[in-house]
Amino acid sequence: MPFQKRIPLSGGVVALLCFIVARAAGEYGWSGAALVATFAMLAMHFQLHPKLNIFAFTFWVFAMTSWGLYFPAHFTSWGGFNPSRLNVPLIQLIMLGMGATLSLADFARALRMPQAVLIGMLLQFSVMPLLGWTLALAFGFPNEIAAGVVLIGSCSGGVASNVMAFLAKGNVALSVTMTACSTLMAPLMTPLAMQLLAGRFIEIQFVAMMIAVVELVILPVGAGLVLNRLLAKRRDLLDRFLPGMSMAGICLILAIIAAGSRNELLRSGVALLGAALLHNVAGYVLGYSAAGLCKLRETDRRTVALEVGMQNGGMAVGLATTVLKSPAAALAPGIFGTFMNVTGSALASWWRDRPPED
């Protein structure tokens, strides 16, 4: 391994040792700083490896979430300004970036792939919300956190699934098409699923949520489509700038959520990780199995599995904070969204080494 690639890994090991020593000595502040440094160093280490850099974002998320947990004051007030007010514009910026990866042709392709798209939409907006509701009841989460679990299951697909489909040697065109279609359906289907399933946990304002989905997702994605069209000859600019911008925005949002809901996260964090694993894996299995029953090609099966299993965490966080007005409800989308990247990356890497026969 080249010397420059060993530096972050060595730094991560040293920081981890410092964390262990500080925890044993009861130095809470120093242990927190060492843990943040550990995750940041590991993130930099993964970024330097072409085959492993898909895991770098996950470790940046761990670093920022740890920062928010150990030092909540850093993300609750900036000179009298409440950083949580940045959540909505940051999510809109992320959705703008998502829209810039799409084109009108992606929506038109749905007409040429009706069976796969129909399977994905049916599972996305029926089975996944029901699964979220079932897990919320089974784990006995407090009402607001339970509503957040249902919410993440009720959201449309996220753009991360498109990247995973590419890595998994799936059908990228189908993945992008399914993301585009589920995004268009979200203003109606997400509030409907929340009204039917999450109403017992928290009051759901159907019309307000519908309007919020349009403002948070549809309008920014539409602006992204226009941007894609205007900069069609300079896609290299979009490809260089937008992914990093989106990842930085998500990391900051998660740090703000962790700081604002620190007590709830410490109380329910482990259970939420368990629910995230079950929800995520079930989505992959159901998507792949349903596509197999319908005799779709292996590339399409992989794509449907990833689309069903990976939801738009940014959209769910935005709805939790703007409509439900509950930092606790944003916890599940934050944790589930992070975990999706971990499991999605692992599954895509496993499939990448097993090219489909078709």
Side-chain angles (χ1 to χ4, degrees):
M1 184 185 298
F3 176 72
Q4 63 270 26
K5 290 186 178 181
R6 290 202 301 267
I7 295 176
L9 182 59
S10 301
V13 172
V14 172
L16 180 59
L17 292 174
C18 291
F19 167 73
I20 295 172
V21 172
R23 286 290 293 180
E27 294 288 343
Y28 183 81
W30 284 107
S31 66
L35 185 62
V36 173
T38 299
F39 287 133
M41 288 292 182
L42 290 175
M44 288 187 277
H45 170 70
F46 283 118
Q47 277 186 316
L48 295 173
H49 290 266
K51 290 186 177 181
L52 298 176
N53 57 16
I54 55 176
F55 296 103
F57 171 59
T58 300
F59 280 90
W60 281 122
V61 166
F62 289 158
M64 293 299 291
T65 303
S66 300
W67 191 353
L69 280 174
Y70 273 93
F71 307 103
H74 294 177
F75 298 98
T76 53
S77 178
W78 294 345
F81 174 78
N82 187 348
S84 64
R85 293 170 60 184
L86 294 174
N87 285 348
V88 171
L90 282 173
I91 290 167
Q92 289 173 322
L93 197 60
I94 293 166
M95 293 301 107
L96 174 70
M98 174 180 168
T101 67
L102 303 174
S103 68
L104 293 177
D106 298 322
F107 295 88
R109 262 198 299 267
L111 300 175
R112 300 197 296 273
M113 307 175 181
Q115 190 177 25
V117 172
L118 183 61
I119 293 168
M121 297 306 99
L122 183 62
L123 294 174
Q124 187 94 58
F125 291 114
S126 62
V127 174
M128 298 308 285
L130 278 168
L131 185 57
W133 175 77
T134 303
L135 290 171
L137 290 179
F139 278 85
F141 291 124
N143 285 345
E144 292 188 359
I145 293 178
V149 175
V150 178
L151 178 58
I152 185 65
S154 305
C155 285
S156 59
V159 73
S161 60
N162 307 153
V163 178
M164 301 309 172
F166 171 74
L167 294 173
K169 299 186 184 300
N171 186 338
V172 179
L174 173 61
S175 179
V176 174
T177 300
M178 292 177 68
T179 299
C181 291
S182 65
T183 300
L184 280 181
M185 295 174 65
L188 176 62
M189 299 306 296
T190 298
L192 180 61
M194 287 296 290
Q195 183 80 57
L196 294 174
L197 299 174
R200 64 172 294 174
F201 301 126
I202 195 171
E203 182 181 356
I204 305 298
Q205 298 177 334
F206 185 93
V207 175
M209 184 168 286
M210 182 182 292
I211 294 171
V213 174
V214 173
E215 293 176 346
L216 279 170
V217 181
I218 301 299
L219 293 180
V221 167
L225 286 168
V226 174
L227 188 64
N228 182 311
R229 183 77 173 181
L230 293 176
L231 297 179
K233 296 181 180 179
R234 297 303 309 272
R235 282 303 304 274
D236 57 318
L237 289 176
L238 296 178
D239 293 339
R240 281 204 309 265
F241 176 69
L242 291 176
M245 176 197 73
S246 298
M247 288 189 290
I250 292 171
C251 287
L252 179 56
I253 289 169
L254 291 175
I256 293 170
I257 291 172
S261 305
R262 181 178 179 276
N263 293 335
E264 292 88 346
L265 183 55
L266 292 175
R267 190 180 307 118
S268 304
V270 175
L272 279 171
L273 282 174
L277 176 62
L278 292 172
H279 191 267
N280 205 203
V281 172
Y284 297 144
V285 172
L286 290 170
Y288 188 86
S289 301
L293 289 173
C294 293
K295 309 296 184 184
L296 297 186
R297 301 181 307 161
E298 174 64 18
T299 51
D300 294 346
R301 293 180 193 181
R302 296 180 180 188
T303 304
V304 173
L306 290 165
E307 280 295 320
V308 173
M310 302 185 73
Q311 284 75 46
N312 191 332
M315 170 184 165
V317 168
L319 292 175
T321 54
T322 59
V323 181
L324 303 183
K325 301 187 184 305
S326 169
L331 280 178
I335 291 176
F336 278 49
T338 301
F339 212 75
M340 286 174 206
N341 285 287
V342 177
T343 59
S345 300
L347 181 59
S349 298
W350 189 79
W351 268 333
R352 180 175 56 188
D353 296 330
R354 293 161 178 78
E357 293 181 1
D358 55 18

